[in-house]
Amino acid sequence: MDILNPATDCGLCPRLKDFRDANAAKHPEWFNAPVPTFGSVDARLLIVGLAPGLKGANLTGRPFTGDYAGDLLYATLLGSGFAKGTYAKVATDGLELVDCRITNAVRCVPPQNKPTGPETRTCSPFLASEIEGMPNIRAILALGGLAHGAVLGVLGERKAAYKFGHQARHQLDSGLTMFDSYHCSRYNTNTGKLTEQMFINVFNDIRGFLTGN
Ligand code: URA
């Protein structure tokens, strides 16, 4: 099945397009476009982040690549066998994901890292298509509350039935299993809300689930 992707010059969210255009005028060498999903559609795990970081995915063109959140995410994926190779903060580092795929609830960088509710809903057909286009998908990891809500929304799940919680596991009506983690942002690790071990534990749970433990 073909996966629906936003156009490179997508204008569905005027505020995000204006922000992208302003960044492109200042930094024409940056990616400055909706950031495509990374990894094979055959993966069983889809990781859903918030939105590209200004000097991370919006610069490099690959989710979580080039900023602090990516340092923690990719180190954890490498340590738990969900990635192989070397992560070098650029989209050309040759890093390969293993049985997982990474996308964002919102594909364009938002001002102050905060997409609005309408922007998240406008971008949701792309997330829905991403999930539908993965024939072997069994699990989704939502990084943070916004991703959690966006996933439930696109799957038509009852939001009140699945409360966000770090290391929570939700058996969804759709048959998929959703895992939650606090977002791996610098803010969350600096404040002690998320430690490296807490993040590793989430991936250990997912590994256990995928191997049938
Ligand atoms: N980079 C991304 O691509 N997504 C996030 O949620 C954070 C940083």
Side-chain angles (χ1 to χ4, degrees):
M1 166 197 260
D2 283 347
I3 295 180
L4 179 70
N5 274 301
T8 309
D9 61 349
C10 183
L12 292 175
C13 302
R15 187 183 75 119
L16 300 188
K17 181 177 175 5
D18 286 352
F19 191 50
R20 264 190 2 239
D21 289 348
N23 286 317
K26 269 190 278 179
H27 306 284
E29 71 284 11
W30 291 6
F31 186 74
N32 295 312
V35 175
T37 303
F38 176 36
S40 165
V41 292
D42 294 326
R44 289 181 297 167
L45 170 65
L46 178 66
I47 299 171
V48 182
L50 171 65
L54 179 62
K55 294 181 187 169
N58 177 64
L59 188 160
T60 62
R62 193 176 72 180
F64 287 91
T65 299
D67 56 21
Y68 175 85
D71 289 351
L72 180 52
L73 177 61
Y74 287 115
T76 309
L77 291 176
L78 283 162
S80 57
F82 283 107
K84 61 180 181 189
T86 304
Y87 170 63
K89 303 174 196 265
V90 287
T92 51
D93 58 12
L95 183 84
E96 281 178 54
L97 298 182
V98 181
D99 208 13
C100 78
R101 186 164 163 80
I102 308 176
T103 195
N104 280 306
V106 174
R107 297 292 184 95
C108 293
V109 58
Q112 275 91 47
N113 282 332
K114 282 197 179 73
T116 64
E119 287 162 355
T120 307
R121 282 190 289 281
T122 299
C123 213
S124 67
F126 304 114
L127 178 59
S129 172
E130 206 51 70
I131 296 170
E132 276 166 29
M134 293 176 65
N136 304 319
I137 189 167
R138 300 221 20 232
I140 296 177
L141 169 60
L143 294 178
L146 187 139
H148 170 98
V151 169
L152 293 177
V154 302
L155 292 175
E157 303 279 349
R158 293 161 299 132
K159 292 206 175 164
Y162 307 104
K163 201 171 165 328
F164 177 84
H166 181 76
Q167 222 182 334
R169 177 192 301 206
H170 309 282
Q171 184 54 58
L172 304 178
D173 287 346
S174 63
L176 294 174
T177 298
M178 181 164 75
F179 293 81
D180 290 335
S181 171
Y182 291 135
H183 192 282
C184 47
S185 64
R186 189 194 295 273
Y187 179 80
N188 281 345
T189 57
N190 277 353
T191 56
K193 185 168 182 175
L194 180 71
T195 63
E196 285 177 23
Q197 190 58 52
M198 284 167 70
F199 202 44
I200 290 169
N201 291 345
V202 171
F203 284 91
N204 287 344
D205 285 357
I206 296 171
R207 174 65 69 204
F209 168 75
L210 290 176
T211 53
N213 293 321

